């Protein structure tokens, strides 16, 4: 039978979920050659929040990180997570920036691009899919999994067929909140296997305590690939542990063919690194808690830590449960968007404002107004007229693909950053995070606080 394949997430989602994406390149490079011996289907090493975190917190060039990883990893495919028209930022970017970013990502070493849209609005994936295919990479389209009165099996069947028609080489069920229950997973994967002819991958989180059980039922249903993280960066709000899953599935006819000795060495390498981040407070103990209420509130782990941070800054940690209860109400008001970046942050922030102000929608962030105007895409369910008027008054809602309204801008960004940018990659970094990148490039170009990582 076809063995289950494993994608290792520790170098992207694992440390993003547990230590706020703070792994340094110098902590990653020494273990890569051993990771390359495991027999993974792929290693997720880039994208998501890693790009922003490198520039903002680690004083590292994310492009240099990718190049250095690629130099060492010879046998295993490198994977990244892309937010479609949002690229790696939190708004829609023009097509020319999306196209150039994807081209450069592949040139610098990425083999597989997992691309998703927070609203499952396929229009927001068109440019990315076309560009990934043109660049010669594997295009994996991800379903942002959630549940609501419209998000049922048939919804996901139709969405998957549309993604395959769009050009996806594989499909990932991206369960960012860890709410896909084992029997629902079995039913969903069984149905998808009947209607799509490309590989299926499952990505989930341990937040609610059911992820490993979900993986077992997914394997029974015929899933092709699952995402796991090496044990020091597994569990909590991360993925199930690679070693435990590999050992469990070894008893099955579809068990993955992984080098268990290498996995043990990798785990031993990362244990003291995790302890360092635990001791300095980067690893918040709360992210390791099992939270079954996630199944009710549907709040992803990264969103939970963001909420805690916001409430702590307002000296309002006592309002945490109130905010959790408010999130499903806001989500319903806004047409049941899946709670994934950037929608998770936006819905969470609105819920915080609603609770702290004591008056729902008294304070409305700019991003929520833009979302209701249609600038992020089409909500899964039309927003009620009363809510719409409360948020944007009588302003018009757009119905076209949002990026159709955005002028090409790469040359504008290139002119703005000027001589500070020494490459197309520098211009792309500036396009995504202007202020942070400008400061970073000023330091880099004057050799202040800048260290080139070498083996």
């Amino acid at each position: 039978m076809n063995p289950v394949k494993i994608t290792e997430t520790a170098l992207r989602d694992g440390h993003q979920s547990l230590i706020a994406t703070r792994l340094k390149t110098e902590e990653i490079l020494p273990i890569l050659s051993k990771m390359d011996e495991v027999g993974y289907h792929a290693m997720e090493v880039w994208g998501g929040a890693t790009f922003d975190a490198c520039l903002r917190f680690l004083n590292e060039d994310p492009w240099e990180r990718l190049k250095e990883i690629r130099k060492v990893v010879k046998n295993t495919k490198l994977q990244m997570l892309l937010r479609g028209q949002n690229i790696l930022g939190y708004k829609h970017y023009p097509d020319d920036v999306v196209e150039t970013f994807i081209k450069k990502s592949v040139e610098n070493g990425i083999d597989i691009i997992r691309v998703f849209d927070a609203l499952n609005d396929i229009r927001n994936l068109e440019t990315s899919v076309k560009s990934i295919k043109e660049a010669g990479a594997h295009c994996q389209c991800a379903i942002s999994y959630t549940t609501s009165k419209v998000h049922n099996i048939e919804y996901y069947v139709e969405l998957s067929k549309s993604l395959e028609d769009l050009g996806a080489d594989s499909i990932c069920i991206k369960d960012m909140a860890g709410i896909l229950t084992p029997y629902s997973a079995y039913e969903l994967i069984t149905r998808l296997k009947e209607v799509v002819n490309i590989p299926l991958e499952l990505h989930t989180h341990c937040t609610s305590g059911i992820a490993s059980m979900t993986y077992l039922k997914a394997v029974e249903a015929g899933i092709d690939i699952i995402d796991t993280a090496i044990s020091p960066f597994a569990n909590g709000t991360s993925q199930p542990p690679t070693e435990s899953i590999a050992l469990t599935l070894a008893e099955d006819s579809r068990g993955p063919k992984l080098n268990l000795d290498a996995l043990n060495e990798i785990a031993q390498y990362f244990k003291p690194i995790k302890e360092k981040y635990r001791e300095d407070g980067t690893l918040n103990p709360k992210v390791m808690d099992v939270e079954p209420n996630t199944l009710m509130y549907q709040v992803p782990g990264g969103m939970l830590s963001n909420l805690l941070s916001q409430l702590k800054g307002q000296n309002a940690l006592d309002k945490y449960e109130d905010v959790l209860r408010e999130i499903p109400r806001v989500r319903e008001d806004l047409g049941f968007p899946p709670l994934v970046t950037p929608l998770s942050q936006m819905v969470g922030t609105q819920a915080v404002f609603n609770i702290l102000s004591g008056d729902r929608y008294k304070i409305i962030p700019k991003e929520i107004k833009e979302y209701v105007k249609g600038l992020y895409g089409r909500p899964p369910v039309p927003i009620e007229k009363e809510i719409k008027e409360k948020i944007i008054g009588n302003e018009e809602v757009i119905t076209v693909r949002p990026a159709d309204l955005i002028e090409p801008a790469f040359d504008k960004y290139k002119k703005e950053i000027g001589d500070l940018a020494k490459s197309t990659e520098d211009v792309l970094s500036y396009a995504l995070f202007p202020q942070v990148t400008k400061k970073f490039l000023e330091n880099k170009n004057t050799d202040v606080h800048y260290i080139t990582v070498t083996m």
Side-chain angles (χ1 to χ4, degrees), residues 181-296:
T181 57
Y183 290 101
S184 292
Y186 184 88
E187 184 183 3
L188 174 60
I189 292 160
T190 301
R191 280 286 286 121
L192 293 183
K193 277 286 179 183
E194 293 170 353
V195 296
V196 298
N197 299 305
I198 52 178
L200 288 180
E201 185 158 356
L202 178 57
H203 174 94
T204 191
H205 291 253
C206 299
T207 318
S208 64
I210 63 172
S212 293
M213 293 182 281
T214 297
Y215 275 171
L216 279 179
K217 292 301 290 183
V219 170
E220 288 179 15
I223 199 75
D224 298 289
I225 313 160
I226 53 177
D227 289 5
T228 63
I230 200 74
S231 53
F233 286 107
N235 291 320
T237 53
S238 180
Q239 281 74 54
T242 306
E243 308 97 299
S244 306
I245 293 291
L247 285 164
T248 300
L249 294 179
E251 299 176 356
D252 185 79
S253 59
R254 295 189 62 217
K257 311 301 182 189
L258 300 186
N259 182 334
L260 299 179
D261 291 334
L263 285 177
N264 185 53
E265 283 187 52
I266 295 160
Q268 293 305 315
Y269 173 82
F270 278 118
K271 278 179 182 176
I273 294 174
K274 179 183 179 179
E275 285 309 307
K276 179 190 76 172
Y277 287 111
R278 193 197 305 271
E279 288 167 11
D280 71 11
T282 304
L283 175 63
N284 184 329
K286 278 189 174 292
V287 302
M288 298 307 299
D289 292 346
V290 173
E291 183 47 82
N293 278 340
T294 301
L295 295 169
M296 181 166 57

Side-chain angles (χ1 to χ4, degrees), residues 24-141:
K24 301 178 181 69
T25 302
E26 65 188 27
E27 294 169 324
I28 292 171
L29 292 179
I31 197 62
L32 282 176
S33 58
K34 183 58 63 176
M35 296 180 81
D36 201 22
E37 296 174 11
V38 169
Y40 294 121
H41 165 69
M43 288 193 288
E44 189 188 46
V45 299
W46 212 59
T50 61
F51 198 97
D52 185 7
C54 277
L55 291 165
R56 192 179 303 272
F57 303 115
L58 304 179
N59 202 37
E60 291 185 11
D61 187 331
W63 297 100
E64 289 300 321
R65 171 179 289 197
L66 176 56
K67 289 177 194 172
E68 293 294 327
I69 291 173
R70 182 76 279 177
K71 284 179 189 174
V72 181
V73 179
K74 304 296 185 185
N75 306 311
T76 311
K77 292 173 184 173
L78 298 183
Q79 181 171 307
M80 72 168 289
L81 180 68
L82 188 79
R83 300 177 189 138
Q85 209 71 32
N86 296 157
I87 309 180
L88 300 176
Y90 307 99
K91 65 176 185 179
H92 275 54
Y93 294 90
D95 287 337
D96 65 332
V97 177
V98 175
E99 292 159 357
T100 308
F101 189 93
I102 289 169
K103 182 170 181 283
K104 284 298 175 182
S105 298
V106 176
E107 282 180 9
N108 281 291
I110 290 296
D111 300 298
I112 301 170
I113 298 182
R114 176 180 293 171
V115 59
F116 75 95
D117 177 65
L119 293 171
N120 292 320
D121 187 337
I122 286 181
R123 300 174 305 169
N124 293 334
L125 298 176
E126 290 169 358
T127 298
S128 295
V129 171
K130 182 171 178 285
S131 300
I132 294 166
K133 306 283 278 188
E134 287 177 352
H138 178 104
C139 177
Q140 182 178 85
C141 289

